[in-house]
Amino acid sequence: MSEDVLANQKTIIANQETIIANQQRIETNQAKLDAALNNQATIVANQQTILSNQGKLDTVLSNQERILANQAEILSRSAG
């Protein structure tokens, strides 16, 4: 009987060690998930900045087109 009890206690200890190892893996994986979520948030913020900058570039291009049109008008007036 006592050998059975000892064997069971060894099994319990082995199971507890497995549980601890699994908990550590879960904590490691959770940290990786947290880092991935932070990276995704950074990516979204960067995409929003890119979209904002694209809008600014569109405005600059539009302004340059108007400047060129105005310069062409000035040149045609001075030539005529």
Side-chain angles (χ1 to χ4, degrees):
M1 181 76 170
S2 64
E3 287 181 17
D4 288 343
V5 171
L6 185 59
N8 286 340
Q9 288 175 332
K10 287 181 180 179
T11 300
I12 289 169
I13 290 170
N15 288 342
Q16 289 172 328
E17 290 172 348
T18 300
I19 289 168
I20 290 169
N22 288 341
Q23 287 172 327
Q24 290 170 340
R25 280 196 281 282
I26 289 168
E27 289 172 6
T28 298
N29 289 339
Q30 186 62 52
K32 290 177 183 177
L33 285 171
D34 291 345
L37 286 174
N38 286 336
N39 288 342
Q40 286 177 326
T42 299
I43 289 167
V44 169
N46 288 344
Q47 288 172 326
Q48 290 170 337
T49 300
I50 288 167
L51 288 174
S52 174
N53 289 343
Q54 186 62 52
K56 292 173 185 175
L57 285 172
D58 291 345
T59 300
V60 168
L61 288 173
S62 176
N63 289 343
Q64 287 176 329
E65 288 172 354
R66 277 188 271 146
I67 289 167
L68 287 173
N70 289 342
Q71 288 174 331
E73 179 67 22
I74 290 167
L75 286 174
S76 70
R77 287 184 187 177
S78 62

